[in-house]
Amino acid sequence: MEDDFSRAVEDGLKLSKRLVLPGGAAPPRPPAGMDRYGAPEAASLLPVAPMAYAVVADPAAVDSPDVPSYQPHVYGRLNPPALMPLQMREVDLRVDCAAGCATAEVTLRARWWVHCITRSRDCDCRVVVPMGEEGSILGAEVTVGKRSFNTHVVDVDDNSAVRIAKTESGGLLKRQFFSLTIPKVVGGEDILATIRWSQKLTYDNGQFSVDIPFRFPQYVNPLPKLFTKKEKIQLNVNSGVSKEVLLQGTSHPLKEKSRQGEKLCFLHEAVVENWSIKDFTFAYNVYSGDVSGGVLVQRSTLRDYDDRDMFCIFLLPGNKQNRKIFKKAVVFIVDTSGSMQGKPIENVKNAISTALSELAEGDYFNIVTFNDELHSFSLYLEKVNEKAIENAINWMNLNFVAQGGTDIMHPLSEALALVSNSHDTLPQIFLVTDGSVEDERNICHTLKTELTNRGSMSPRISTFGLGSYCNHYFLRMLASVGKGHYDAAFDTGSIEGRMLQWFQKASTTIVTNISIDTTKDIQEFEVDCEYIPDLSAKYPLFVSGRFKGELPETLYAKGYLSDMNEISIELKVQHIKDIPLDKVLAKQQMDLLTAKAWLSENKQLEQKVAKLSIQNGIPSEYTRTVLLQTVMEKIDPAQQVKQKPKKQSIPDQPSATPLHGLTLGFGNVVATTENLTSGFGNAKAPEKFEMFGKAVGGCCSRACDCCCCMCFINTCSKMNDQCAIVLVQICAALSFLGCFECCSQLCCSGGGGSD
């Protein structure tokens, strides 16, 4: 899908050569990633900032809406259509960071104009927004003329709310790219879009940071003489603690507007010559010498699905270097079924090799691979040393071969047996898989009983999902039951990096068996996860939940250090009003509740997830997201806010169109059984007519792309007869060579016959 998108944008950039901009300005310059023939690299054409594209199927519609260029008529249609990047007139970015939840809520407002379609024609327009770390869409509003488009979340069983069309209006281009298609936009019209999403703050060695894709390519800059480009960035930070906050840096020139306790506000507003060419980043430190934390509390509202108040507990590991990390006995369980072939299994092998090198002296390890069979690096836990790690890497090079089916329970039982004698260390099991199996619920119930029987130092189970065919809710539930950590990668390029972060978070434990010491004034106190995970030395811990009653000014979190001494952490309770805690935590709560509903097959939990989804406008497995179109009456702009939009009354036009791909689903057992590898998106084999087109086109088509039709006509009109004859002979020779290559590929390739 990424390659298809990039090819469509490449075609759109070629079509832009037909434009003659006001004042005779040249068409947009190609991106820097283009090769010698003018073909851009695929990666350079994926959006790295919010973008809008005109979906062009008829090249004859391409022209400047203000100054017609009178280009020669183009016959035929483009299938698939080209994507022509639209020029942007203004952009407004607002970022609200809540460090106590490690979450940022991002609101982007941008205006594009359809500068490449003549005013007598229309086309569909696609808005694509790349989201940051673990981004999740919260809502979108788009206005074009009198038409308004809004995303709505409706119950899957509610067919009376809106009339759903069969056609699609967008969804996720890939996991971090939200896409929205607006139909029939007339050339020269403005597209005003407001997109909201949430993403995670990253944490490294005591430093919180936010990174938002904000690199606009040169060709979306309109002419400065026609439009004034206004850029506005507003940043609000709530550190959640009263400790000293040290600003570490920002990518854009922000000015501090206010600072009040743990709340900081920054603003950047300017008229710019060109749009931003770098991502928006902001980083700050919360100084803490030792383990610290706090509690954020929000009162329930009338619109809340739960009448209990909400809380979020956060624990920061601090900067104290003498906190000892638990010695550990690590067992890696790796899926080597046939669907893991290629880059997935290679990236997993590289990540585990790096993880082995990070183990400390005194740790133990083993590696188990599984498909239809089980293979272990050793019959027992190996003590960490250079020779053992070298042997393990050599063993992986020989045994990490993708073949066979998927069986998860057998290797988990083997790993539990291996860590039964863990040499007074904290046993940890790391499961990596890309598939689903039929006995997943039985696995969760069996392991929950087994781990409960083993007591407080039971093995920690962390899970990692690859692609879209595994059941991520099963993996999340298994990690919750095992007091471990869950993570996932949805494209092959991110596997190695995300696996290393996941391993470091789970393997650098400094506090275990954490509990919250509540008082008698609290009638109910429920955390969303099954058990509170252990605290890592490199990452903070966040736990949300609900309570009924009155919280004291201070709570205490208790746990055990590596020397088995008890630690008590003071948590100051903070009642907040400026952070919508229910919206910030909604995605996390929905994921955990969905995992519980899947495990228990509880309809009441499913309805709770659906209510939470509809209330916050966040997609879920038990709701569907649609794009609802309304028509605004022509009213005074000052009064527009006070009037409600009226739904379109045209009977033949659908009220809403669905947005697909916004949820994960519950795995695909059939695809796992058949060892399909397209959970990451596989390249389609070229059709024969595509091979023919490439063979005949080749360098001739690239050469033709470098010059416009008018240039070619002018050149031919000045050519004498002898030159014309030579040109015809050259073209005939090139065509013959191209056809010969094509015939050899179609007729002589794909051998496999006997000699």
Side-chain angles (χ1 to χ4, degrees):
M1 185 175 290
E2 298 173 37
D3 293 337
D4 295 339
F5 182 88
S6 297
R7 281 194 293 267
V9 177
E10 178 185 346
D11 293 338
L13 291 174
K14 292 176 181 177
L15 276 178
S16 65
K17 297 175 183 178
R18 292 177 54 86
L19 296 175
V20 176
L21 301 178
R29 291 181 295 174
M34 282 194 171
D35 63 19
R36 58 180 294 195
Y37 297 108
E41 300 174 0
S44 68
L45 294 179
L46 287 177
V48 287
M51 296 278 290
Y53 303 88
V55 183
V56 180
D58 184 3
V62 177
D63 206 344
S64 172
D66 298 319
V67 182
S69 58
Y70 301 104
Q71 291 279 1
H73 186 77
V74 179
Y75 295 94
R77 298 181 67 84
L78 292 170
N79 188 19
L83 295 177
M84 297 188 67
L86 299 182
Q87 293 180 353
M88 189 171 67
R89 288 186 170 184
E90 63 178 281
V91 63
D92 186 339
L93 180 69
R94 178 189 172 104
V95 184
D96 296 297
C97 296
C101 313
T103 305
E105 183 175 345
V106 184
T107 303
L108 179 123
R109 181 181 180 275
R111 184 188 299 272
W112 296 273
W113 76 298
V114 186
H115 72 288
C116 55
I117 303 296
T118 181
R119 291 190 183 274
S120 60
R121 303 288 295 272
D122 61 52
C123 69
D124 293 349
C125 289
R126 181 179 296 179
V127 178
V128 181
V129 179
M131 299 176 289
E133 180 78 8
E134 298 184 37
S136 175
I137 193 68
L138 298 178
E141 302 172 6
V142 180
T143 302
V144 179
K146 294 183 180 180
R147 296 183 298 160
S148 176
F149 300 85
N150 298 269
T151 56
H152 285 258
V153 177
V154 297
D155 197 304
V156 291
D157 299 325
D158 186 4
N159 296 318
S160 60
V162 290
R163 196 151 40 92
I164 310 296
K166 294 182 180 180
T167 57
E168 299 181 20
S169 284
L172 289 184
L173 175 66
K174 51 186 293 191
R175 292 309 309 174
Q176 299 300 103
F177 289 78
F178 175 70
S179 172
L180 202 63
T181 301
I182 307 301
K184 296 184 178 181
V185 182
V186 178
E189 277 193 312
D190 278 6
I191 300 174
L192 178 61
T194 302
I195 314 291
R196 296 182 298 107
W197 72 92
S198 65
Q199 65 180 66
K200 289 293 184 181
L201 299 180
T202 57
Y203 182 88
D204 183 24
N205 196 25
Q207 176 176 293
F208 286 98
S209 61
V210 61
D211 191 339
I212 298 172
F214 210 59
R215 287 177 284 152
F216 295 95
Q218 182 67 26
Y219 46 77
V220 304
N221 287 298
L223 293 177
K225 294 182 180 180
L226 296 179
F227 303 107
T228 301
K229 294 185 280 293
K230 296 181 179 179
E231 184 178 78
K232 181 180 179 180
I233 301 175
Q234 183 176 347
L235 173 68
N236 299 314
V237 178
N238 189 317
S239 64
V241 294
S242 56
K243 298 180 180 294
E244 183 180 5
V245 176
L246 303 176
L247 306 183
Q248 295 299 318
T250 178
S251 58
H252 292 67
L254 298 175
K255 294 182 179 179
E256 185 173 328
K257 302 297 291 183
S258 64
R259 180 190 289 253
Q260 183 178 2
E262 62 278 352
K263 304 172 187 176
L264 299 90
C265 181
F266 302 88
L267 181 66
H268 161 68
E269 189 171 10
V271 175
V272 295
E273 183 177 351
N274 292 301
W275 296 123
S276 171
I277 58 173
K278 52 188 175 181
D279 292 340
F280 174 72
T281 59
F282 182 83
Y284 64 94
N285 273 11
V286 178
Y287 177 77
S288 176
D290 203 351
V291 179
S292 62
V295 184
L296 304 180
V297 176
Q298 177 180 289
R299 297 293 185 185
S300 62
T301 60
L302 294 177
R303 59 185 292 272
D304 204 338
Y305 79 99
D306 195 323
D307 61 353
R308 296 175 297 175
D309 297 333
M310 181 181 296
F311 69 85
C312 178
I313 297 173
F314 62 94
L315 297 175
L316 306 179
N319 304 320
K320 196 171 183 179
Q321 301 297 324
N322 59 356
R323 282 289 180 208
K324 291 185 178 180
I325 296 174
F326 276 77
K327 297 295 182 182
K328 49 195 171 291
V330 175
V331 178
F332 294 98
I333 305 177
V334 183
D335 184 349
T336 57
S337 59
S339 57
M340 288 283 289
Q341 63 182 338
K343 288 185 178 180
I345 199 167
E346 287 298 320
N347 290 335
V348 169
K349 182 175 66 176
N350 294 338
I352 293 179
S353 299
T354 305
L356 289 175
S357 65
E358 294 180 356
L359 294 176
E361 184 178 348
D363 293 339
Y364 294 82
F365 77 96
N366 203 343
I367 305 171
V368 177
T369 63
F370 69 93
N371 41 47
D372 292 327
E373 300 177 351
L374 203 65
H375 300 278
S376 299
F377 165 64
S378 177
L379 297 176
Y380 49 85
L381 293 173
E382 292 282 347
K383 197 168 185 178
V384 171
N385 55 62
E386 291 185 6
K387 184 63 176 177
I389 292 176
E390 181 181 353
N391 292 338
I393 293 176
N394 292 333
W395 181 85
M396 286 193 294
N397 291 332
L398 294 175
N399 290 273
F400 272 37
V401 179
Q403 60 184 6
T406 304
D407 177 18
I408 295 179
M409 187 64 211
H410 189 190
L412 280 172
S413 300
E414 178 71 12
L416 288 172
L418 284 170
V419 299
S420 59
N421 182 15
S422 54
H423 308 280
D424 297 325
T425 60
L426 181 65
Q428 300 210 347
I429 298 173
F430 294 89
L431 171 65
V432 181
T433 183
D434 73 335
S436 300
V437 292
E438 294 182 350
D439 60 341
E440 290 171 341
R441 290 188 178 89
N442 179 57
I443 292 173
C444 287
H445 291 305
T446 301
L447 288 181
K448 185 175 182 179
T449 303
E450 175 72 18
L451 297 177
T452 302
N453 293 336
R454 294 203 181 192
S456 60
M457 293 301 287
S458 61
R460 272 49 174 168
I461 301 178
S462 296
T463 58
F464 194 92
L466 301 170
S468 58
Y469 288 159
C470 58
N471 186 349
H472 291 273
Y473 295 105
F474 157 65
L475 297 176
R476 187 184 294 273
M477 196 67 208
L478 188 58
S480 180
V481 167
K483 296 184 181 180
H485 299 271
Y486 156 82
D487 207 337
F490 295 95
D491 56 87
T492 54
S494 64
I495 292 176
E496 192 170 343
R498 294 202 69 88
M499 276 192 66
L500 288 175
Q501 290 181 8
W502 164 71
F503 175 76
Q504 291 171 355
K505 181 185 295 185
S507 63
T508 56
T509 303
I510 57 175
V511 182
T512 63
N513 300 323
I514 299 173
S515 62
I516 307 300
D517 188 12
T518 58
T519 64
K520 61 181 181 180
D521 295 329
I522 305 176
Q523 301 172 13
E524 295 181 31
F525 193 87
E526 178 187 0
V527 296
D528 293 326
C529 51
E530 288 287 317
Y531 303 100
I532 299 178
D534 300 330
L535 177 62
S536 167
K538 295 188 176 182
Y539 294 90
L541 174 65
F542 302 94
V543 179
S544 61
R546 295 274 181 170
F547 74 96
K548 181 176 288 187
E550 292 295 329
L551 289 181
E553 294 183 356
T554 303
L555 288 178
Y556 291 91
K558 295 182 178 181
Y560 292 89
L561 301 172
S562 60
D563 57 5
M564 299 313 295
N565 288 326
E566 189 179 44
I567 182 176
S568 181
I569 308 163
E570 183 178 305
L571 306 175
K572 181 181 177 182
V573 177
Q574 180 185 167
H575 294 268
I576 60 172
K577 296 181 180 179
D578 55 331
I579 299 178
L581 202 60
D582 54 342
K583 291 187 176 295
V584 170
L585 297 175
K587 175 62 177 173
Q588 174 184 323
Q589 290 179 330
M590 286 168 52
D591 288 341
L592 290 169
L593 284 173
T594 302
K596 290 181 179 180
W598 164 83
L599 178 63
S600 61
E601 299 180 274
N602 189 322
K603 291 296 182 182
Q604 291 183 344
L605 282 179
E606 292 179 7
Q607 293 174 2
K608 182 179 287 189
V609 174
K611 291 178 180 178
L612 192 58
S613 172
I614 295 172
Q615 176 181 318
N616 295 283
I618 300 175
S620 76
E621 303 296 341
Y622 309 110
T623 56
R624 53 184 169 180
T625 306
V626 298
L627 184 67
L628 184 63
Q629 176 180 342
T630 57
V631 175
M632 304 291 295
E633 291 184 348
K634 187 176 181 181
I635 56 177
D636 185 85
Q639 302 295 325
Q640 187 169 342
V641 180
K642 299 181 180 180
Q643 296 200 18
K644 297 182 178 180
K646 294 183 178 180
K647 290 186 178 179
Q648 193 157 359
S649 59
I650 302 176
D652 296 334
Q653 185 149 350
S655 300
T657 50
L659 305 177
H660 291 299
L662 298 177
T663 55
L664 295 172
F666 296 101
N668 192 328
V669 177
V670 175
T672 302
T673 304
E674 297 177 358
N675 277 330
L676 299 182
T677 58
S678 59
F680 287 106
N682 58 336
K684 183 178 66 174
E687 302 286 349
K688 291 187 176 181
F689 69 85
E690 291 177 341
M691 294 169 59
F692 181 82
K694 291 180 180 178
V696 175
C699 60
C700 296
S701 64
R702 287 174 172 170
C704 292
D705 287 338
C706 296
C707 44
C708 66
C709 299
M710 187 60 68
C711 295
F712 182 75
I713 294 172
N714 291 336
T715 303
C716 292
S717 64
K718 298 178 181 179
M719 187 182 300
N720 58 32
D721 295 341
Q722 288 79 9
C723 291
I725 293 172
V726 172
L727 180 61
V728 171
Q729 291 175 341
I730 292 174
C731 292
L734 291 174
S735 300
F736 174 78
L737 292 175
C739 292
F740 178 79
E741 180 186 357
C742 174
C743 292
S744 66
Q745 291 183 13
L746 295 178
C747 303
C748 304
S749 63
S754 58
D755 293 337

